[in-house]
Amino acid sequence: MTSTADAPRSPGRPRSIRADEAIIEATLDLLAEGSTIEALSIEAIATRAGVGKATIYRRWAGKDALLLDALRRLKGVMAQPAGHSVRDDLVLLVGAIGKNVDPRAAKIMPCLAPAVNRSADQFQLYQNIISPRRQLMREVLRRGIDEGVLRADIDVEVTMALLTGPMLIQRVLQWNPDLDEQSLPERVVDAVLAGIQAR
Amino acid sequence: MTSTADAPRSPGRPRSIRADEAIIEATLDLLAEGSTIEALSIEAIATRAGVGKATIYRRWAGKDALLLDALRRLKGVMAQPAGHSVRDDLVLLVGAIGKNVDPRAAKIMPCLAPAVNRSADQFQLYQNIISPRRQLMREVLRRGIDEGVLRADIDVEVTMALLTGPMLIQRVLQWNPDLDEQSLPERVVDAVLAGIQAR
DNA sequence: GCGTTACGAGTCTGACCCGTATCGTATTTC
DNA sequence: GAAATACGATACGGGTCAGACTCGTAACGC
């Protein structure tokens, strides 16, 4: 991002904040409506935002830079576990997967899958977004171990994948159309807690 | 697909099977090399296949139809569980996730994530590929219940998501770069079997 | 050999897009 | 009010691509 630096003082008309907002919003809207990342054109964004193309190029170097900013805007606030019950905290965190504050996020996420694997930048962006969330879950699991609610010999990293994976493939890929998405967090957490082996 | 119908008998030169193959192969190659679905152009495919554009349009109505056929070709043979140990069968099935006979499949799969959510056709194609695999896993789980190895009260559908999800997000999204992909199937299966709750 | 169809290669029109430049106008500082 | 910079709109050259088409040639049935 270039604008709103600590600017000593510049002459001339200042950049419109409304234009900034409109451009970002238009980008996210178009993505959420089904445009894929590369089908997204600056021209379409400008039209949608009611803005001249030059206004976009004045702020960002190109589509990639704009996308980076737009997606950053999307990640929103992380869910905050209450800290009482380990199970309830896990249900909260699992339920928050792929469910950002911004409802457009759910539609946009699948589009990122290809980008994540092809561009190191996008991969880093993705990791930057999810690694603090992983950390949050890691802490809850560690707390569970400390409190004796969870076994001490579990593999925390694998457990995180166990909790996250089912939710993610369901939200991003609609992996199994017969699975009820709403009750899934609870059922996943309880299944992981209990295990499936007869005993 | 249009060719190789039960054709009563047609005059003129028959369609070249080699061209059919070359076009499909070129399509898969280009996808595996990093082209996204929509960046893929008929022109590029024709050039890569050493084929005229008309030869492609003579067989398929457009890019979508061609892609549908190409991806169908990709799904390959399903892993076949041995049927001795439920755990070993599950490890085999989980290990086979996203690991098709065709090595290009792993590179291509992430590209499909956006398509799956935007086109009903692509969604159906995806479900057609994975639902028999889900069925295979379902049968193993049911067998485990019958044999008393697994508890009778488990939710089979959720358990499948539990086993599949972690592997899929790791292979498709590189969700957690620190997770060792090779040992993951075993660790996932064992964790799901045992559960994580202290007891 | 003749009609038919396919072949690879290439051409052509019409979209669409990028990134830059140039309008006339609006908003700011000095 | 003058200089500077922003604005939306639009035009531009350069590029890629879809699809339909045209070549001259090749392979088949009769």
Side-chain angles (χ1 to χ4, degrees):
Chain A
M1 194 65 180
T2 334
S3 71
T4 62
D6 44 289
R9 192 61 257 138
S10 64
R13 175 175 176 177
R15 294 211 177 143
S16 157
I17 302 172
R18 299 186 55 176
D20 278 87
E21 289 291 336
I23 293 166
I24 296 279
E25 286 302 302
T27 305
L28 294 178
D29 280 347
L30 287 172
L31 279 178
E33 280 167 19
S35 173
T36 49
I37 284 192
E38 58 198 359
L40 197 63
S41 71
I42 300 282
E43 259 166 8
I45 296 172
T47 303
R48 173 62 158 263
V51 144
K53 279 202 289 175
T55 304
I56 296 182
Y57 283 109
R58 204 173 286 125
R59 288 150 214 260
W60 291 278
K63 191 167 68 177
D64 287 351
L66 168 54
L67 269 175
L68 219 72
D69 270 9
L71 294 179
R72 247 197 286 268
R73 175 87 38 122
L74 202 60
K75 63 177 169 181
V77 189
M78 283 192 295
Q80 205 58 39
H84 303 316
S85 146
V86 167
R87 176 192 175 275
D88 291 350
D89 283 356
L90 290 178
V91 170
L92 178 74
L93 289 180
V94 170
I97 290 167
K99 208 181 206 175
N100 280 3
V101 191
D102 195 320
R104 290 169 299 192
K107 304 258 180 193
I108 294 176
M109 281 184 51
C111 299
L112 304 182
V116 160
N117 279 320
R118 303 200 191 287
S119 143
D121 280 352
Q122 309 254 17
F123 179 73
Q124 261 314 310
L125 174 63
Y126 176 65
Q127 289 295 330
N128 288 345
I129 293 178
I130 64 174
S131 77
R133 290 150 205 260
R134 270 204 307 260
Q135 181 57 28
L136 215 52
M137 189 180 284
R138 195 178 285 121
E139 283 163 10
V140 172
L141 290 175
R142 292 243 170 84
R143 205 186 78 216
I145 296 175
D146 289 345
E147 292 176 357
V149 181
L150 304 182
R151 285 208 316 274
D153 64 337
I154 66 172
D155 185 328
V156 173
E157 301 301 311
V158 168
T159 303
M160 292 192 299
L162 232 52
L163 292 165
T164 308
M167 210 58 215
L168 214 48
I169 64 171
Q170 195 58 27
R171 286 242 164 92
V172 170
L173 288 180
Q174 285 199 59
W175 177 74
N176 184 347
D178 295 334
L179 269 180
D180 172 43
E181 206 173 274
Q182 220 211 314
S183 63
L184 194 55
E186 243 182 338
R187 299 203 282 164
V188 165
V189 170
D190 287 337
V192 170
L193 281 172
I196 62 174
Q197 201 156 30
R199 49 183 192 236
Chain B
M1 192 67 178
T2 333
S3 72
T4 63
D6 44 289
R9 194 61 257 138
S10 67
R13 175 174 175 175
R15 296 216 175 135
S16 157
I17 303 171
R18 301 186 54 176
D20 278 271
E21 290 290 336
I23 294 166
I24 297 279
E25 286 302 303
T27 305
L28 295 177
D29 280 347
L30 288 172
L31 280 178
E33 279 166 22
S35 172
T36 48
I37 284 194
E38 58 199 359
L40 197 63
S41 71
I42 299 283
E43 260 167 10
I45 295 173
T47 303
R48 172 62 159 261
V51 142
K53 279 201 286 178
T55 302
I56 296 181
Y57 282 110
R58 204 172 286 126
R59 287 149 213 262
W60 290 278
K63 193 164 68 175
D64 287 349
L66 169 54
L67 270 174
L68 220 72
D69 269 9
L71 295 178
R72 246 197 285 269
R73 178 86 36 123
L74 201 61
K75 63 177 170 181
V77 188
M78 283 191 295
Q80 204 57 40
H84 303 316
S85 145
V86 167
R87 177 192 174 274
D88 292 349
D89 283 355
L90 289 178
V91 170
L92 178 75
L93 289 180
V94 170
I97 290 166
K99 208 181 207 177
N100 279 3
V101 193
D102 195 320
R104 290 170 299 193
K107 304 259 181 192
I108 295 177
M109 281 184 51
C111 300
L112 304 182
V116 160
N117 278 319
R118 301 197 193 289
S119 143
D121 279 351
Q122 309 254 20
F123 179 73
Q124 262 313 310
L125 174 63
Y126 176 64
Q127 290 295 330
N128 288 345
I129 292 179
I130 64 175
S131 76
R133 291 150 205 263
R134 271 204 306 261
Q135 182 56 29
L136 214 52
M137 188 179 284
R138 196 177 285 122
E139 283 162 9
V140 172
L141 290 175
R142 293 245 169 83
R143 206 187 76 217
I145 296 175
D146 289 346
E147 293 175 357
V149 181
L150 305 182
R151 284 208 316 276
D153 64 338
I154 67 172
D155 186 326
V156 174
E157 302 301 312
V158 168
T159 304
M160 293 193 297
L162 233 51
L163 293 165
T164 307
M167 208 60 215
L168 214 48
I169 64 172
Q170 196 57 26
R171 287 242 164 93
V172 170
L173 288 181
Q174 284 200 60
W175 178 73
N176 183 347
D178 296 333
L179 267 182
D180 172 42
E181 206 174 274
Q182 219 210 315
S183 64
L184 194 55
E186 242 182 339
R187 297 204 283 165
V188 165
V189 170
D190 288 336
V192 171
L193 280 172
I196 62 174
Q197 201 157 29
R199 49 180 190 237

